[in-house]
């Protein structure tokens, strides 16, 4: 690549988004940032993992959604602080050099970044169920429940931070069904688009 760039990968649970992101980062030899790493940085800033997870789900520290909590509270200020720290962390990581982010509302946080490709990966529900059943050794019932719980949490958080919806095509440059081409094919397609947008090395 001729220039530094960021690829933001949003994804539905169970469609191999993180795996695809890791493969892209490895192919380009660039940094990879996911929820685990960013949450570790937030913890280092002095916030507990429990509080970070509540902010992640759009909750105040009493476990109620802000939308249902009856207005601003002293607890809401804490979760808003976590969101602020996460936003600053993502911006600073992006400023370090080329990288891949998985989720974390990075498409929204980096909306003013001049070299950011926003991708959203999804898959048919039956495919997601199968992937989760096999990946976590779960029954179909438990896999469905896990998907629903993750979808609810991720949608709530994205709506809280952005005011819109995670899969909204207007927030993304590229939407891909990972089941269509498989992992390697999806990676290749994203990289082909990135090469074209950001320029190949000569």
């Amino acid at each position: 690549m001729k220039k530094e760039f960021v690829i933001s990968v949003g994804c539905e649970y169970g469609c191999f988004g993180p795996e695809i992101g890791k493969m892209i980062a490895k192919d380009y030899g660039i940094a990879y940032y996911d929820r685990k790493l960013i949450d570790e940085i937030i913890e280092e800033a002095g916030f507990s993992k429990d509080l970070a997870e509540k902010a992640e789900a759009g909750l105040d520290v009493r476990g109620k959604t802000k939308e249902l909590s009856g207005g601003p509270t002293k607890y809401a200020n804490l979760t808003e602080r976590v969101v602020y720290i996460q936003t600053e962390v993502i911006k600073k990581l992006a400023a370090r050099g080329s990288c891949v982010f998985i989720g974390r509302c990075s498409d929204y946080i980096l909306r003013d970044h001049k070299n950011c490709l926003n991708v959203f990966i999804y898959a048919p529900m039956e495919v997601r169920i199968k992937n989760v059943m096999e990946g976590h050794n779960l029954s179909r019932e438990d896999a469905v429940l896990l998907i629903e719980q993750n979808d609810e949490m991720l949608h709530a958080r994205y709506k809280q931070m952005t005011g819109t919806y995670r899969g909204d095509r207007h927030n993304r440059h590229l939407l891909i069904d990972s089941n269509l081409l498989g992992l390697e094919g999806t990676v290749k397609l994203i990289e082909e688009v990135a090469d074209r947008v950001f320029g190949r090395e000569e």
Side-chain angles (χ1 to χ4, degrees):
M1 294 290 186
K2 294 181 180 179
K3 62 185 79 172
E4 292 185 347
F5 63 95
V6 174
I7 298 178
S8 167
V9 180
C11 54
E12 292 182 331
Y13 189 77
C15 65
F16 296 123
E19 290 80 0
I20 290 168
K22 286 180 183 177
M23 292 168 70
I24 293 171
K26 182 178 179 180
D27 287 349
Y28 283 131
I30 61 178
Y32 170 86
Y33 302 115
D34 59 8
R35 171 180 177 173
K36 182 176 183 295
L37 180 56
I38 294 173
D39 282 355
E40 286 174 357
I41 296 173
I42 292 174
E43 285 186 60
E44 289 177 5
F47 292 95
S48 70
K49 183 176 180 180
D50 180 63
L51 184 56
E53 288 177 349
K54 283 182 167 62
E56 165 75 7
L59 305 176
D60 66 28
V61 297
R62 296 172 302 173
K64 297 179 181 180
T65 64
K66 289 185 180 181
E67 194 172 78
L68 300 178
S69 64
T73 69
K74 62 180 181 180
Y75 302 113
N77 290 333
L78 291 174
T79 52
E80 286 166 6
R81 178 64 177 167
V82 175
V83 169
Y84 170 77
I85 292 295
Q86 178 182 291
T87 297
E88 292 303 301
V89 165
I90 288 174
K91 287 181 177 179
K92 288 179 180 178
L93 291 174
R96 287 184 180 178
S98 296
C99 58
V100 174
F101 284 104
I102 301 297
R104 322 310 290 152
C105 297
S106 53
D107 63 305
Y108 177 79
I109 292 170
L110 300 175
R111 61 193 180 281
D112 296 324
H113 192 292
K114 61 181 179 180
N115 293 320
C116 183
L117 178 66
N118 295 320
V119 179
F120 189 79
I121 300 172
Y122 62 96
M125 178 57 80
E126 285 303 315
V127 172
R128 296 169 66 196
I129 293 172
K130 178 175 179 292
N131 291 341
V132 173
M133 287 175 65
E134 294 177 353
H136 297 277
N137 192 29
L138 296 175
S139 66
R140 178 184 174 82
E141 181 180 1
D142 287 342
V144 170
L145 180 60
L146 186 58
I147 290 172
E148 289 176 345
Q149 289 175 338
N150 274 274
D151 281 351
E152 181 179 359
M153 178 187 71
L154 294 172
H155 282 305
R157 179 178 181 279
Y158 195 87
K159 183 70 181 295
Q160 175 202 22
M161 285 192 66
T162 71
T164 184
Y165 296 95
R166 218 163 35 110
D168 188 341
R169 66 187 184 277
H170 296 100
N171 301 334
R172 315 286 179 169
H173 299 118
L174 192 63
L175 287 84
I176 308 172
D177 176 353
S178 61
N179 189 56
L180 183 64
L181 299 175
L183 264 67
E184 292 185 1
T186 301
V187 168
K188 183 178 179 181
L189 178 59
I190 294 172
E191 291 177 350
E192 286 176 352
V193 173
D195 288 343
R196 187 164 184 177
V197 171
F198 302 126
R200 287 180 179 275
E201 290 183 344
E202 296 181 354

